[in-house]
Amino acid sequence: MTPPFPFHGGLKTVRHKTESNRETILPGSVPERLVVPLRQHVGAIAKPLVQAGDRVLKGQMIGQPDGYVSAAVHAPTSGRVVAVDQQPVPHPSGLPDWCVTIESDGQDRWIERTPVDYQRMHPSDLRNFVRNAGVVGLGGAVFPSAVKMNLSGHCERLEQLILNGAECEPWMTCDDLIMRERAVEIVAGIHILAHLLQPREVLIGIEDDKPEAIAAMNAACSGTGYQVRPVPTRYPSGGAKQLTKLLTNKEAPVNGRSTDIGVQCFNVATAYTLHRAVAHGEPVISRIVTVTGHIAQPRNIDALLGSSFADLIARCGGYREGVERLIMGGPMMGFAMHSDGVPVTKATNCILAVGADALVEPPVMPCIRCGDCVEVCPANLLPQQLYWHARAKEFDKIQDYHLFSCIECGCCSYVCPSHIPLVQYYRYAKNEIWALEKEKQRAELARRRHQARMERLEREQREREAKLRQKAPPRTASPLDGATAGQSPAEPALAAPASIAVNVERSE
Amino acid sequence: MMMIVAIVALGALAGASGLLLGFAAIRFKIEGDPVVERIDALLPQTQCGQCGYVGCRSYAEAIAAGEADINQCPPGGQGGVAALADLLGRDPKPLDPELGPEKPKMVAVIDEQSCIGCTLCIQACPVDAILGAAKHMHTVIARECTGCELCLAPCPVDCIHMQPISPTITTWKWVYPAAEARAAA
């Protein structure tokens, strides 16, 4: 068998790529006001380093990584911090999150940039540098790259390093454009990854509907030994697991990681930002965003993080008539925004305006057990079984069917002839299971604390009794004194005020 | 003769089995009552005493001993009753309305301006989640508060109130798909 090795299931979806990939990347403008969320990555929220009134320079760290799985956040332009508070962010809940609001001074003045020589750096120093530069996976999952750049004993060295340029979601073209225009810098970023991970081969997977990107990457890779591998256009070939299967025919075990099979996968745009950080000392303060759909002039913008969706849409000529919904991400995996006032984050790969005509939602009918969802599931699951158990809220049974292997690609919902919102059920079930798990941990903590308190009260009671016995002259010098003392009528009355006194003493 | 052989053989068998069972009873002895442990694991550990027992553990012991019913825990709610019924092989029943209604999760908040530092709430808290000293301001460690409300009554200046926990971006959950819920109903 020769590559590509097809994965199970998947779909031919509508493409809608040409709307936004005909024009070059539009350089971003500097808006007057930037709202920079401190949580733009998977893991712990960054700790704010600035407060209202502080002056910041472009590229200055304003949020410090908090722990191992975290990433830094930087000021996208120079100016003055006007607030560090909760602001609306792009999230399906519409709830606010901690953000740093910066008023631009119009000078766009950089902080001193210090490139590093990655070949001479200790690997752990380099990873720290990457974490402090705010480099995270720009495919949309925003997992801190520094964590993925550490094999941490899962394998000696990597078999295959995979660069993900598949970009299978309809409408989205930001990776296509970055590969066309910045291929040389992407390859420079791959050098850094290859230096750290020592892979036997480097494979760059690109869907075959992007001939210009494939040509550009081929040209940039000549002489490096990196292989550009076109893969058939089939959703969701851009899923890390699906692309790994396509290129290497390997699959990670259910509860394992990709490094267990010697594979690590990075998005092409991540490699680009890695190069900018290492070779130019520029942290991640912007990203390419596809603004498309029901928009006057759909195109890709190199937008500063913290610019509002409305700013970007205005730069693309504004909405066309009849926009009903604004989606962040693609139509398959994205989610609807509550307003266009939310800021661009590292996860914002695409802003999709949807018109009323595309939003016809047919009524949900009962499942007819046709099995179409099983045919298309790229994770080899039984979506129908998952659906029954999620609907019945049977959270232990649903895990027997590997709910957590579901990548929420939406293939099952797409083909369902009864229009059942299957993925919504899976998201609901996953959230409930996590919440129950957290609840259990809280209960366990409360149980331990209650037990510790009971033990302490008992100990204090014993100590008090011992003290009283010492003070009071023994009336009867019998060895049963301890047993009789508690029975004397005067004792409890004495003990009660003493208990308060001891407690007060202790708390003072 | 045959009879004696049979008696001896069966006697030996019985003796051997007895020894084996006796050994197993000592070797594989289980500390504590496993049923109590399992019941305790299903209780919410609020330690509020609404069930009439001091703490969740005592209630679990009472259930195991058959002294208490399974519907006496308002914080555990109807879901908790169902889980207990499932574990004990009984029929679920509605919560005992006399013990109070099922409420959303709450956390105690001390109005620090009004607190006189009497330490009475500190002594009432079953999980030591209130921090403070005599004649100094007290405060609730929200992360460790179980929402049991036991600190409300002792406060001489009524400066403690219960606040519902509102969802944040990290605790928010996707809801049960509504369209389908309507169709199924």
Side-chain angles (χ1 to χ4, degrees):
Chain A
M1 225 169 133
T2 52
F5 308 96
F7 56 90
H8 179 265
L11 294 171
K12 286 258 181 237
T13 60
V14 290
R15 303 304 294 167
H16 290 295
K17 300 276 195 182
T18 47
E19 280 87 344
S20 57
N21 71 1
R22 289 189 189 145
E23 302 265 354
T24 53
I25 298 172
L26 185 68
S29 61
V30 181
E32 279 172 22
R33 212 181 164 83
L34 290 155
V35 180
V36 188
L38 288 166
R39 193 195 312 273
Q40 298 192 39
H41 48 261
V42 170
I45 186 167
K47 277 192 209 155
L49 292 174
V50 290
Q51 48 189 352
D54 288 0
R55 299 210 74 83
V56 289
L57 291 172
K58 183 175 182 146
Q60 181 181 334
M61 196 191 286
I62 53 174
Q64 188 183 24
D66 185 14
Y68 185 63
V69 184
S70 189
V73 175
H74 302 81
T77 187
S78 60
R80 198 170 58 89
V81 176
V82 288
V84 180
D85 58 359
Q86 297 218 333
Q87 295 285 338
V89 291
H91 190 266
S93 67
L95 288 168
D97 200 8
W98 290 98
C99 297
V100 175
T101 307
I102 297 171
E103 228 168 50
S104 160
D105 59 9
Q107 293 169 9
D108 209 23
R109 199 148 50 88
W110 272 100
I111 198 168
E112 195 189 333
R113 283 166 279 184
T114 42
V116 291
D117 181 0
Y118 67 90
Q119 283 172 320
R120 296 222 184 130
M121 271 176 112
H122 188 272
S124 101
D125 290 341
L126 181 55
R127 283 192 292 267
N128 259 332
F129 176 84
V130 169
R131 181 177 9 255
N132 286 331
V135 178
V136 299
L138 294 183
V142 287
F143 192 80
S145 299
V147 179
K148 285 172 78 177
M149 288 161 72
N150 189 352
L151 298 178
S152 59
H154 282 273
C155 54
E156 270 296 284
R157 61 179 278 194
L158 225 47
E159 292 293 325
Q160 284 99 5
L161 170 64
I162 295 178
L163 270 292
N164 190 342
E167 197 169 55
C168 55
E169 269 263 11
W171 292 99
M172 214 182 279
T173 57
C174 54
D175 290 347
D176 183 6
L177 266 286
I178 202 171
M179 286 188 288
R180 289 190 203 185
E181 296 187 16
R182 302 176 185 176
V184 175
E185 285 157 302
I186 293 172
V187 172
I190 303 174
H191 288 322
I192 304 167
L193 291 169
H195 166 75
L196 207 59
L197 298 170
Q198 297 291 313
R200 282 180 217 282
E201 45 180 357
V202 175
L203 309 173
I204 302 163
I206 306 172
E207 273 195 351
D208 57 13
D209 66 342
K210 301 186 236 319
E212 297 93 337
I214 292 171
M217 288 302 287
N218 260 326
C221 287
S222 65
T224 58
Y226 303 160
Q227 301 165 44
V228 177
R229 294 265 182 89
V231 295
T233 300
R234 187 172 183 83
Y235 182 84
S237 67
K241 286 179 178 148
Q242 285 65 40
L243 189 62
T244 303
K245 174 75 167 69
L246 274 169
L247 295 178
T248 67
N249 205 18
K250 291 199 277 194
E251 286 175 272
V254 173
N255 293 317
R257 300 173 187 205
S258 67
T259 42
D260 293 335
I261 51 166
V263 174
Q264 195 65 292
C265 189
F266 292 87
N267 180 269
V268 284
T270 314
Y272 169 78
T273 54
L274 182 63
H275 163 73
R276 293 305 300 183
V278 169
H280 299 274
E282 290 175 9
V284 183
I285 53 165
S286 66
R287 68 153 297 145
I288 317 278
V289 182
T290 307
V291 183
T292 187
H294 230 58
I295 298 283
Q297 296 140 20
R299 74 185 289 184
N300 283 280
I301 303 184
D302 191 351
L304 287 184
L305 303 175
S307 323
S308 82
F309 282 22
D311 285 347
L312 269 58
I313 290 161
R315 290 212 67 201
C316 294
Y319 296 110
R320 274 196 275 153
E321 194 89 355
V323 171
E324 282 286 308
R325 188 179 291 176
L326 198 60
I327 291 174
M328 181 173 110
M332 299 294 287
M333 292 185 72
F335 42 81
M337 294 289 98
H338 291 242
S339 97
D340 61 4
V342 291
V344 169
T345 70
K346 292 171 189 174
T348 312
N349 39 17
C350 179
I351 299 171
L352 176 64
V354 187
D357 47 330
L359 268 185
V360 195
E361 280 177 8
V364 175
M365 306 292 282
C367 170
I368 55 168
R369 290 192 178 266
C370 63
D372 280 0
C373 50
V374 183
E375 300 278 301
V376 296
C377 179
N380 260 314
L381 300 174
L382 299 172
Q384 207 182 62
Q385 284 317 107
L386 291 171
Y387 162 65
W388 292 119
H389 291 312
R391 206 174 93 139
K393 306 185 184 181
E394 294 167 335
F395 299 130
D396 41 349
K397 283 187 196 148
I398 198 170
Q399 287 182 78
D400 296 341
Y401 288 92
H402 302 291
L403 171 68
F404 287 97
S405 292
C406 167
I407 58 167
E408 300 176 19
C409 64
C411 286
C412 51
S413 310
Y414 190 91
V415 296
C416 180
S418 293
H419 312 292
I420 301 170
L422 291 162
V423 177
Q424 283 184 37
Y425 277 96
Y426 309 149
R427 283 176 172 163
Y428 158 77
K430 284 181 183 178
N431 274 198
E432 285 299 321
I433 290 167
W434 284 325
L436 284 174
E437 192 57 40
K438 258 191 209 154
E439 203 51 54
K440 235 182 197 158
Q441 284 170 7
R442 266 182 76 96
E444 179 55 27
L445 176 77
R447 197 185 61 74
R448 279 205 312 271
R449 289 182 71 85
H450 181 64
Q451 200 177 356
R453 178 187 153 88
M454 297 311 270
E455 280 164 16
R456 194 193 71 232
L457 290 181
E458 223 169 86
R459 194 180 61 238
E460 281 172 2
Q461 177 76 28
R462 272 200 311 275
E463 283 168 5
R464 246 186 339 267
E465 278 168 10
K467 235 184 225 170
L468 280 172
R469 262 203 309 279
Q470 267 180 6
K471 277 185 192 160
R475 279 162 294 165
T476 49
S478 98
L480 291 168
D481 197 31
T484 50
Q487 286 160 6
S488 116
E491 284 295 332
L494 251 177
S499 90
I500 292 172
V502 167
N503 265 325
V504 171
E505 258 171 44
R506 180 176 52 86
S507 44
E508 270 173 350
Chain B
M1 184 61 195
M2 278 294 271
M3 201 170 71
I4 293 166
V5 169
I7 288 169
V8 168
L10 283 174
L13 203 66
S17 310
L19 281 173
L20 197 70
L21 285 171
F23 170 74
I26 296 162
R27 178 71 178 76
F28 302 110
K29 188 174 167 58
I30 296 166
E31 292 296 333
D33 188 345
V35 178
V36 173
E37 296 291 334
R38 288 170 69 184
I39 295 172
D40 197 30
L42 291 180
L43 296 175
Q45 304 300 325
T46 322
Q47 318 294 355
C48 61
Q50 286 183 73
C51 51
Y53 295 86
V54 184
C56 301
R57 176 91 200 175
S58 326
Y59 178 43
E61 281 162 4
I63 295 177
E67 291 162 13
D69 210 338
I70 57 172
N71 64 344
Q72 301 183 5
C73 177
Q78 206 53 53
V81 177
L84 284 172
D86 197 33
L87 172 71
L88 300 169
R90 299 191 202 165
D91 285 331
K93 48 172 82 175
L95 269 176
D96 189 343
E98 279 177 25
L99 299 170
E102 185 179 348
K103 289 188 224 168
K105 283 219 138 264
M106 310 250 248
V107 62
V109 178
I110 293 178
D111 175 13
E112 292 161 356
Q113 296 298 316
S114 319
C115 174
I116 55 169
C118 69
T119 75
L120 289 176
C121 59
I122 294 180
Q123 292 163 52
C125 180
V127 290
D128 285 335
I130 303 181
L131 198 70
K135 291 178 190 153
H136 287 80
M137 184 191 82
H138 303 344
T139 195
V140 176
I141 308 170
R143 201 159 40 99
E144 278 158 13
C145 173
T146 64
C148 69
E149 304 187 12
L150 290 179
C151 52
L152 298 188
C155 180
V157 291
D158 284 337
C159 73
I160 310 178
H161 67 276
M162 301 305 294
Q163 217 171 57
I165 300 173
S166 48
T168 64
I169 208 157
T170 45
T171 58
W172 175 84
K173 293 186 287 188
W174 285 97
V175 292
Y176 192 75
E180 180 73 9
R182 273 201 307 277

